[in-house]
Amino acid sequence: MSVIRLYPSGNEVPCPDGMTVLAALEAEGWALPNNCRAGTCGECKVKVRSGSFDQGFVLDMALSKEDREQGYGAMCMAKPLSEYLEIEWGTEDAKPTLFPPREQIAYVVVERIERTPSIIELRLRPIGESLRFWPGQHMQLGAPPEHPLRNYSMANAPRPDGELTFYITREPFGQTSSWLTDSVAIGETLMVNGPYGSFIGDPAIATPVLLLAGGSGLAPIMSLTEAALRRGFAHPVTLVFSVRTPADVYPLGQLEYLKRRYPNFELQVSYTRHDHGKTCTAEPHHHGRIPEILETITPSLAGTAVFIAGSDHFVSDCARVVNALGPGMVYTEPFTDQQGDFFSLSILG
């Protein structure tokens, strides 16, 4: 048994004898960029800082002589020989590369769940080769010209079977969202484009994390949370979910599973239109919009990475308060659709 150490975060991943570095990382939820998995493309090339490994057969076009002399290796074929193998992962020159978007990839609707009175969950599985994506990215769904292409973030971390999960809000004037929520049935085939979006979770983050989500903005937050916890992220992860009433809290089963499976995950719910005479469905809970109550939840955000997802107003209002509480840098990737279908994402850390 060897140990793969990720630099500069210091995270460690076990690597059983005979297993490649790529396979060991994937087994622990670390999605190292790759394509051919056979030593021919070079997408999984990273710099090895220390330790020895059996590179196996790799074409020169994927790993040149100069690459090898500089300490790079193709992780799809590399097998550790030393007790520790330290690789660069999370530095600027080792950021994951985005997967090239593809168009008109056929998926079948395998599940349709009414999560709330206004939000449905669609689960899609590929008929052939699946679209690969990073947590936090989105796909395009639609059937032009009647139903224009719209962006929807995945609500799940990447899975071996390629399944995609979407939370879709019914919009009164949204041609595509109305079609997806009211007309598309289980068993139908949808054509999917993507992935899109330059935001992906940074594996180098090693601080407490605060997640702020409103409505269907929960989707990318769930994708990022699942991926991080699955790979062994050990710092506190707190999700504050803003909804109108207890009936709008979803997906309760999955959220409860995360709470029980990962002791460092905490869920808090904020009700904006809650009837005080009714029983709340989640504990602890709050009353009011997150921007108005955030300071009472956490007086200081120094040393905390904050992720925000929801409508434009939700994101901008939360970002203003978060900045005042002191996290530092702010990163945004907003998307606003003029047809009534919308999604906005902002990342702070």
Side-chain angles (χ1 to χ4, degrees):
M1 173 76 76
S2 297
V3 174
I4 302 166
R5 181 175 292 147
L6 308 180
Y7 175 88
S9 69
N11 290 309
E12 296 185 347
V13 177
C15 184
D17 295 340
M19 181 177 285
T20 66
V21 174
L22 174 61
L25 291 174
E26 289 182 331
E28 295 296 317
W30 294 88
L32 185 72
N34 67 90
N35 188 8
C36 70
R37 307 179 73 90
T40 63
C41 75
E43 280 199 31
C44 64
K45 179 177 65 179
V46 299
K47 190 169 186 177
V48 178
R49 295 177 56 86
S50 64
S52 59
F53 61 99
D54 176 4
Q55 178 57 90
F57 178 76
V58 178
L59 295 180
D60 288 341
M61 62 181 291
L63 192 67
S64 68
K65 179 181 178 181
E66 291 75 17
D67 288 334
R68 298 171 196 257
E69 291 175 348
Q70 293 172 16
Y72 286 88
M75 298 299 102
C76 68
M77 301 298 289
K79 298 178 180 179
L81 297 176
S82 55
E83 182 179 1
Y84 286 91
L85 187 73
E86 186 175 64
I87 66 173
E88 290 192 352
W89 180 246
T91 57
E92 284 301 321
D93 61 348
K95 291 289 186 181
T97 56
L98 299 179
F99 300 115
R102 296 157 57 202
E103 296 184 351
Q104 296 292 293
I105 306 302
Y107 277 72
V108 173
V109 179
V110 297
E111 194 70 70
R112 184 183 185 279
I113 304 172
E114 294 276 348
R115 285 298 185 186
T116 75
S118 61
I119 295 176
I120 71 160
E121 176 179 318
L122 288 182
R123 296 183 184 178
L124 282 58
R125 287 191 183 177
I127 295 176
E129 185 179 359
S130 63
L131 290 168
R132 297 164 64 206
F133 68 95
W134 293 100
Q137 289 193 291
H138 58 265
M139 301 288 183
Q140 288 184 338
L141 303 179
E146 295 88 354
H147 312 294
L149 291 172
R150 296 291 177 254
N151 296 331
Y152 295 99
S153 290
M154 281 70 71
N156 63 302
R159 293 173 35 143
D161 61 9
E163 183 172 287
L164 304 177
T165 299
F166 299 97
Y167 300 147
I168 302 175
T169 301
R170 287 186 174 91
E171 296 295 337
F173 304 104
Q175 291 174 276
T176 303
S177 64
S178 297
W179 169 63
L180 290 170
T181 56
D182 299 329
S183 300
V184 171
I186 293 175
E188 288 194 40
T189 299
L190 298 182
M191 307 308 290
V192 182
N193 296 347
Y196 302 104
S198 59
F199 167 71
I200 56 177
D202 186 352
I205 288 178
T207 66
V209 172
L210 176 65
L211 310 163
L212 306 178
S216 58
L218 183 65
I221 294 295
M222 290 295 288
S223 180
L224 290 164
T225 301
E226 179 188 348
L229 293 175
R230 198 174 67 189
R231 72 168 183 254
F233 187 80
H235 297 273
V237 177
T238 303
L239 167 60
V240 183
F241 187 23
S242 177
V243 294
R244 294 179 178 180
T245 71
D248 298 310
V249 180
Y250 74 99
L252 283 175
Q254 188 172 354
L255 290 169
E256 188 62 34
Y257 166 77
L258 293 178
K259 288 168 54 180
R260 299 188 187 187
R261 174 66 177 82
Y262 302 101
N264 58 319
F265 175 76
E266 179 186 3
L267 169 68
Q268 300 188 35
V269 176
S270 178
Y271 299 110
T272 61
R273 301 183 186 179
H274 177 60
D275 182 346
H276 290 256
K278 295 183 180 179
T279 302
C280 292
T281 59
E283 297 288 348
H285 61 267
H286 311 277
H287 299 286
R289 298 181 68 246
I290 289 179
E292 299 165 358
I293 64 173
L294 185 58
E295 190 171 4
T296 64
I297 298 175
T298 173
S300 173
L301 289 173
T304 300
V306 183
F307 297 76
I308 307 172
S311 69
D312 285 331
H313 292 303
F314 177 85
V315 170
S316 60
D317 290 349
C318 286
R320 174 178 46 79
V321 175
V322 166
N323 280 326
L325 296 178
M329 295 179 293
V330 177
Y331 306 92
T332 61
E333 184 179 277
F335 171 79
T336 304
D337 190 285
Q338 302 302 317
Q339 300 294 328
D341 301 316
F342 66 85
F343 172 70
S344 178
L345 173 63
S346 174
I347 303 93
L348 301 89

